[in-house]
Amino acid sequence: MDILVNIGLFIVGLILIVKGADWLTDGAASVARRFGIPSLVVGLTIVAMGSSAPELVVSVVAAIQGNVDMALGNVVGSNIFNILAIMGITAIVRPINVERGNIRNDVPFAVLSSFVIVVTAFDSFFSANTTENNISRTDGLLMLCMFAIFISYTLSIASPAKTNSEDPQDDSSKEASLLSSTLWIIIGLACLILGGNWLVDGASGIASALGVSDSIIALTIVSAGTSAPELAASVMAARKGDTAMALGNVVGSCVFNVFFVLGTASTIRPLGIGGITGFDICTLLTASCILWLFCRFGKTHLTLTRAEGVIMTIMAVAYYTILVYNA
């Protein structure tokens, strides 16, 4: 009976997080436009962060509760799912045409974010002065600084002409009132907080009932659940032919998860590696490098093909099979 209650908590918490992120994003975007912030800037910041709000809430709540396996496993698992499963499935739906700017500016940030986890997580390997592996508050603060640099860089390379051509007053009549937008922001935040607590509690309860570690649950059902918005957005973008948006959505989410989500969580509470293994983190780094290599050196120039999508999807299935088998 307890496991059914925990499954219910997990499902309701996930629904609240996803809907709360939507309401918070819509409300914040509406308020931003009312104050004259261009849509391009809103998309690069508020909307991009909103799609990763589930990961942020789960990892921060887990860190506050002292569940470091859940906090770190959610980020590592989400990024593996983003790169291998979402990019693989999206490329199968429609081959992804990759612009040179993506290869030069965007995808390397995903590789860098994965490498940062490797360096910060394995202190004992990179330093002879320590025998403990953890992501410290100093590491967290450095990640937040890197996130600020990433956002500044992203905004700086945005097309000035496109930004300046935006007229924030053009569709002001279509915007919701300031009061209703503010209410949606408040409701969205409340749903995120409540849903985050229920999801973490439910996931921990499921792990205990099944006799597996929190890290396994975080790397699988929690990370896949919190990545649901990215999966839906990327597949729909691919079906509509906007494959660049699908790629940008995944890359932006991966960078946000590491630099902001993990940075915030480890600043709140230093995160020991716990049940997250070198296999998990190295899988993430390998997946990032494979995405970059496929985009840059694929048989079809600057295209992530269906065949490559199949390979990435098979890698995702293999990874999760190994996790379940070892558990």
Side-chain angles (χ1 to χ4, degrees), residues 6-80:
N6 287 315
I7 291 174
L9 275 176
F10 177 86
I11 293 173
V12 174
L14 179 60
I15 292 172
L16 285 176
I17 286 176
V18 173
K19 293 305 297 182
D22 282 341
W23 292 332
L24 174 64
T25 301
D26 291 343
S30 180
V31 170
R33 293 190 187 100
R34 279 191 162 272
F35 283 96
I37 300 175
S39 295
L40 179 62
V41 176
V42 172
L44 288 169
T45 54
I46 297 173
V47 176
M49 295 178 192
S51 66
S52 291
E55 287 90 342
L56 174 62
V57 173
V58 170
S59 290
V60 168
V61 169
I64 292 173
Q65 293 181 357
N67 192 337
V68 295
D69 278 0
M70 190 74 68
L72 179 58
N74 176 47
V75 170
V76 174
S78 290
N79 280 14
I80 291 174

Side-chain angles (χ1 to χ4, degrees), residues 40-194:
L40 179 62
V41 176
V42 172
L44 288 169
T45 54
I46 297 173
V47 176
M49 295 178 192
S51 66
S52 291
E55 287 90 342
L56 174 62
V57 173
V58 170
S59 290
V60 168
V61 169
I64 292 173
Q65 293 181 357
N67 192 337
V68 295
D69 278 0
M70 190 74 68
L72 179 58
N74 176 47
V75 170
V76 174
S78 290
N79 280 14
I80 291 174
F81 187 84
N82 282 345
I83 295 172
L84 293 181
I86 295 180
M87 276 288 89
I89 293 170
T90 302
I92 292 172
V93 172
R94 184 186 292 266
I96 299 174
N97 295 319
V98 185
E99 298 178 2
R100 293 185 182 275
N102 294 132
I103 296 176
R104 185 176 62 251
N105 303 322
D106 301 332
V107 179
F109 268 110
V111 179
L112 174 63
S113 67
S114 301
F115 185 72
V116 165
I117 293 185
V118 174
V119 173
T120 56
F122 296 117
D123 298 301
S124 61
F125 180 81
F126 292 99
S127 175
N129 299 324
T130 182
T131 58
E132 294 184 1
N133 291 322
N134 70 339
I135 301 177
S136 65
R137 284 193 173 93
T138 301
D139 294 331
L141 291 172
L142 288 174
M143 289 180 187
L144 291 175
C145 290
M146 295 179 76
F147 176 72
I149 294 172
F150 171 73
I151 288 295
S152 299
Y153 175 73
T154 301
L155 293 177
S156 70
I157 63 174
S159 171
K162 186 175 180 181
T163 303
N164 293 334
S165 65
E166 295 280 0
D167 184 0
Q169 304 302 322
D170 282 348
D171 54 354
S172 59
S173 60
K174 300 179 184 178
E175 293 290 347
S177 69
L178 185 59
L179 177 59
S180 64
S181 297
T182 304
L183 285 175
W184 282 121
I185 292 173
I186 295 172
I187 294 172
L189 283 171
C191 288
L192 285 171
I193 294 170
L194 185 61

Side-chain angles (χ1 to χ4, degrees), residues 103 291-303 308:
I103 296 176
L291 174 62
W292 182 77
L293 289 173
F294 278 175
C295 289
R296 187 175 182 87
F297 299 114
K299 290 183 179 179
T300 304
H301 188 52
L302 298 181
T303 299
E308 291 163 345

Side-chain angles (χ1 to χ4, degrees), residues 48 52 150 247-257:
S52 291
F150 171 73
L247 177 63
N249 178 44
V250 166
V251 170
S253 178
C254 289
V255 173
F256 182 86
N257 286 345

Side-chain angles (χ1 to χ4, degrees), residues 262-287:
L262 192 57
T264 301
S266 56
T267 299
I268 293 172
R269 182 188 295 268
L271 304 177
I273 300 305
I276 309 303
T277 66
F279 170 69
D280 302 314
I281 296 177
C282 288
T283 297
L284 172 57
L285 180 59
T286 301

Side-chain angles (χ1 to χ4, degrees), residues 168-240:
Q169 304 302 322
D170 282 348
D171 54 354
S172 59
S173 60
K174 300 179 184 178
E175 293 290 347
S177 69
L178 185 59
L179 177 59
S180 64
S181 297
T182 304
L183 285 175
W184 282 121
I185 292 173
I186 295 172
I187 294 172
L189 283 171
C191 288
L192 285 171
I193 294 170
L194 185 61
N197 278 286
W198 286 356
L199 187 144
V200 172
D201 291 343
S204 297
I206 293 171
S208 299
L210 296 178
V212 300
S213 65
D214 285 347
S215 60
I216 296 296
I217 296 296
L219 287 165
T220 54
I221 62 173
V222 173
S223 60
T226 56
S227 294
E230 286 89 347
L231 175 60
S234 294
V235 171
M236 288 304 297
R239 289 185 63 186
K240 295 177 181 178

